[in-house]
Amino acid sequence: MALNNTYDARLVQQETAVGAGVQVLLLTFLGTAIGMGPAGWVTGLVFAVATWAVLSRALHRSQLRSFGPANRVTLGRATLVGGVTALVADSFVSAPPVSLLVGLTAVALILDGVDGKVARRTGTSTALGARFDMEVDAFLILVLSVYVSMELGPWVLLMGGMRYAFVAAARVAPWLNAPLPPSMARKTVAAMQGVCLLVGGADLLPYAANFGVALLALTLLVWSFGRDVLWLWRTSRVLPAATAEPRLELATR
């Protein structure tokens, strides 16, 4: 049994290595096609290595016996996000084709709705897969906000940094780590962030329109996070009272 577990673990780890290899191939294509500079290359390679290392560690801890088709789709999205990250880093010193950046981003956003469906249809939904999907989404929003902020201003970075600020706050306030109830509004607002930033990055609309679209997306994001934080705070206040009531009743008997 131990040999089988080791063999399965190696197969799973091999898929993450293949993902890193594909990332390097994409960077090679981008470098050849547009003459990507050192900033793009270094950033893209760091992203590839970091993704491989973090995902490999998570897979080892979760002991998954199969990587799964849904995670393969998410890994493909992560590869595209790595390409977008490299292009955004390169944009600080040169001007990569906007059409290429928009194309990679658009495909990554479209595939965001695929991996979840694949997981449900194949019965391969896992906590690791959901977390992997969420982290890829969050990082794409962060990278896009950096790119759009160069045109609209640093306030756009709030869109990309809000989720990471929430995670940091949860280390100080553990009640923020409590699970949230499913919400279609939350999912819709999250999906809008990528679309709105893509519109702003494509630079197809006038400045005022791009500004308005980004501001609307940020407003909705603040509302969504605010609503969730308020729900978590109220729940954290109710639960201690609910657990204290039986103890009080027991003491009076």
Side-chain angles (χ1 to χ4, degrees):
M1 181 66 70
L3 291 176
N4 289 337
N5 287 339
T6 303
Y7 179 71
D8 290 340
R10 289 179 178 176
L11 286 179
V12 171
Q13 297 294 343
Q14 284 174 5
E15 298 214 37
T16 64
V18 169
V22 174
Q23 181 74 82
V24 174
L25 289 177
L26 177 60
L27 293 175
T28 302
F29 167 76
L30 294 176
T32 304
I34 66 171
M36 190 167 61
W41 270 105
V42 171
T43 304
L45 290 174
V46 169
F47 178 89
V49 173
T51 301
W52 169 79
V54 173
L55 186 56
S56 295
R57 181 183 178 187
L59 287 168
H60 177 73
R61 294 177 63 181
S62 65
Q63 298 295 315
L64 287 182
R65 298 176 65 86
S66 173
F67 194 61
N71 284 335
R72 294 188 186 102
V73 175
T74 307
L75 185 58
R77 285 202 303 116
T79 301
L80 295 174
V81 172
V84 174
T85 303
L87 291 176
V88 170
D90 196 54
S91 68
F92 282 93
V93 293
S94 63
V98 175
S99 58
L100 184 57
L101 188 147
V102 169
L104 291 177
T105 302
V107 176
L109 291 175
I110 291 172
L111 290 177
D112 186 27
V114 174
D115 45 12
K117 292 181 179 179
V118 171
R120 289 187 293 271
R121 290 183 178 180
T122 58
T124 55
S125 298
T126 62
L128 173 62
R131 180 65 182 272
F132 185 25
D133 176 64
M134 181 175 62
E135 295 299 340
V136 172
D137 291 342
F139 194 79
L140 177 58
I141 299 303
L142 176 62
V143 172
L144 290 177
S145 69
V146 171
Y147 182 72
V148 177
S149 69
M150 290 187 283
E151 176 68 22
L152 299 182
W155 63 271
V156 181
L157 295 173
L158 293 172
M159 299 168 67
M162 197 167 299
R163 192 257 170 184
Y164 295 99
F166 180 86
V167 172
R171 292 182 176 274
V172 180
W175 53 269
L176 290 171
N177 289 314
L180 288 163
S183 170
M184 183 56 66
R186 186 189 308 118
K187 293 180 179 180
T188 302
V189 170
M192 283 184 60
Q193 304 307 303
V195 174
C196 291
L197 288 172
L198 177 61
V199 171
D203 203 22
L204 297 175
L205 302 176
Y207 176 88
N210 285 332
F211 190 96
V213 168
L215 183 60
L216 174 62
L218 176 59
T219 301
L220 291 174
L221 188 63
V222 171
W223 168 80
S224 180
F225 268 94
R227 188 184 67 159
D228 287 343
V229 169
L230 181 59
W231 187 92
L232 290 169
W233 180 76
R234 287 176 175 174
T235 303
S236 69
R237 298 290 296 271
V238 171
L239 287 179
T243 55
E245 288 178 0
R247 295 180 183 177
L248 179 61
E249 182 181 359
L250 182 63
T252 57
R253 286 183 179 179

